[in-house]
Amino acid sequence: MYHKLSEKEISFNFWGRHFSWCLTIICLVTLMLSGTVLDVKAAPAAIIYDNGTIGSGPTSKSGVAAPAGTQWSEDQNDFGITNYANTSAGTSCSVTATVFRCADDFNVPVGQTWTINQVIVFAYQTGFAGVTSPITAATLRIWNGRPGDAASTIIFGDTTTNRLASSTNSNVFRIFNSIVGAGANPPTAPATNRIIWQNNLTVSPALVLTAGNYWIDWNTQIGATTAHFAPQTTVIGTRSTPGGNARQFTTLWQDVVDAGQTPTGNPAPIPLPQEFPFKLDGTITGAPLAPRSRSIDFDGDNKTDFSVARSASAAGQTTWWTQLSGGGTSASDWGLGVGIAAGDKATPADFDGDGKTDLAVWRAGAPMVASFYILNSSNNTVRVEAFGQTGDDASIVGDYDGDGKADPAVYRDGTGGGQSTYFYRGSLSNPSGNVTYVPWGVQGDVAVPGDFDGDGRFDFHAARNASGQMTHYQLLTTAGQRVFPFALNTDKFVTGDFDADGRTDVAAVRTNATNFDWYILKSSNNQFFVQKFGNPATDYLVPGDYDGDNKTDLAVWRSGQAAAQTVFLTRNTFASPQQVTWGQSAGSLTAPDYPVANFAVK
């Protein structure tokens, strides 16, 4: 029997059986477009989680205005790419002759407790012209773990109880891409025959969740078996969101993938996994999610700033030029030769605990002497700390004692194949300024900094090469030791909280011809996803939280461009990709500028 899974001439979800979600590929951002995007507000208004927008703005890509007071939700093509686009307007999460269900996930961060009162999902019926919603019923389940996995369990709901509290007009019309078409299916003129309805589903009794990875699983109903569809999350300028992993159930669970479309004569696009827009209504208690962006957050708004350090030579004065995410720019002289091999090493962090990144460098002096030079943002005072020795790795600075202040720290490689050691000077209950040392790793290991268990304290992590494969050894302050294989010895390691679970994730970035492939291992569920982003011939890796959603974004700084064309390119989670012109470079990956967000990349 043929089952219609998505609103398209044929179903594209069968791709999920043949393409692993870990083959996610997103096109490199080449242009930046602008447009007004109106988010859909849910009622009641205590929204504690939002899995992405549905609206793409009041004007279609082809220039057609939506009716007054409304906007479009348009299938997307990547910025600057007009030879392919998404092709599915929606996925069936409905009761028809076949009973479909859909699912997507969220994370409760370490240290928080969420109470869920409602789950808000979206649906449309093609051709429906009524003024009140046709949605008559909805069912809901919530899982601990991914639906379909053997170890996952249902912790709320069932497939029979009607949970629909209300269904209201979102004032958003779902449309196919209006500028890209395929063969006999030319670009589609925007139409107002797919109004999206916002459906509030009651969670009663309210569900209390502690830290973990959870999934909602739902379907909606119109009459007995009338077909309708759920729109995918819509982000202007991108066909897929990083880590997209939505699922659909017919007789089994499978990934929701958009195969894409392309005009005749072009190569077939790559199928990409999708996300569903949904919101959670409720309350949050516990510690706020620890900001992961503060290493480059000079104005304290919890967004990574665009910052470069400019040096004429290894011994020359360095000026830090910063475009602040909160507005304005700054230029500060600090350090010598930052970004040049023989110069100071950038170590920006929040050393004084005021919520803002401090300018800081580590300088190797005499053979056995090195020092941190820190400019405290709280009072504009200079702090000089003799710490470490020539040859140490100072990029591991962080908060090792959990007092909200970064500590001077270095990693010292062993000799003769012997023991390597972490050294740090904590400020919590340490009036004598004693140095703590932790033997961890052996000669040749790579020290990877981060808080991998989410307790507010940096952990000890060494990655070791074994015949080209990397094995990771972690000593966690709350969870003991952990050993796992991940990545190759030729990869570069970056860290960040890519899934907003309050724990640092390990990511390996691999050079693949003219692309960077980002392999991101999510701490929330121990699964990884892959994204293509960046060009190894010209780009520095500069991950950070540039949109302030507590998820680390993929980002690169592109050097070696013509005057006024050196740019930061960011691949945000649920916000449009950005292209921000900032900095100078005489050639690819060369001075005078160095993007300081690259300082901890290994």
Side-chain angles (χ1 to χ4, degrees), residues 454-474:
D455 68 341
R457 301 175 61 181
F458 267 41
D459 301 302
F460 310 102
H461 181 155
R464 185 171 305 162
N465 178 23
S467 301
Q469 302 289 322
M470 298 299 283
T471 300
H472 297 256
Y473 297 84
Q474 290 182 340

Side-chain angles (χ1 to χ4, degrees), residues 20-26 240-244 271-273 529-532:
S20 169
W21 55 268
C22 71
L23 292 178
T24 304
I25 298 176
I26 187 67
S240 177
T241 60
L272 296 179
F529 66 92
V530 182
Q531 295 274 294
K532 282 190 180 294

Side-chain angles (χ1 to χ4, degrees), residues 59 123 373 402 458:
T59 305
Y373 293 81
F458 267 41

Side-chain angles (χ1 to χ4, degrees), residues 304-489:
T304 299
D305 300 316
F306 303 103
S307 185
V308 296
R310 183 169 302 161
S311 308
S313 66
Q317 178 70 63
T318 296
T319 302
W320 298 53
W321 295 88
T322 303
Q323 187 174 144
L324 301 169
S325 55
T329 61
S330 68
S332 302
D333 292 337
W334 198 254
L336 304 174
V338 173
I340 298 174
D344 293 348
K345 309 302 179 186
T347 57
D350 183 9
F351 289 93
D352 56 9
D354 68 345
K356 299 178 181 179
T357 296
D358 303 315
L359 297 177
V361 299
W362 183 78
R363 182 176 300 162
M368 299 299 290
V369 178
S371 296
F372 284 93
Y373 293 81
I374 302 164
L375 180 61
N376 292 317
S377 58
S378 57
N379 54 17
N380 207 37
T381 59
V382 177
R383 172 182 170 189
V384 180
E385 290 214 26
F387 200 91
Q389 65 186 38
T390 302
D392 289 349
D393 177 5
S395 68
I396 63 161
V397 294
D399 183 5
Y400 286 86
D401 60 2
D403 66 347
K405 300 178 182 180
D407 305 311
V410 297
Y411 181 75
R412 186 166 300 160
D413 202 17
T415 59
Q419 181 72 64
S420 298
T421 307
Y422 276 83
F423 296 88
Y424 70 90
R425 179 181 289 135
S427 52
L428 179 65
S429 301
N430 187 19
S432 300
N434 296 323
V435 174
T436 301
Y437 68 92
V438 178
W440 196 251
V442 298
Q443 184 183 22
D445 289 354
V446 177
V448 184
D451 175 13
F452 300 97
D453 55 5
D455 68 341
R457 301 175 61 181
F458 267 41
D459 301 302
F460 310 102
H461 181 155
R464 185 171 305 162
N465 178 23
S467 301
Q469 302 289 322
M470 298 299 283
T471 300
H472 297 256
Y473 297 84
Q474 290 182 340
L475 178 60
L476 308 176
T477 52
T478 61
Q481 298 185 21
R482 181 181 180 223
V483 180
F484 59 94
F486 182 67
L488 305 177
N489 69 313

Side-chain angles (χ1 to χ4, degrees), residues 4-9 87-90 124 126 176 194 229:
K4 187 175 183 181
L5 306 183
S6 62
E7 194 192 4
K8 188 68 177 66
E9 292 301 319
T87 189
S88 172
Y124 69 88
T126 302
F176 294 102
R194 297 179 184 86
F229 306 91

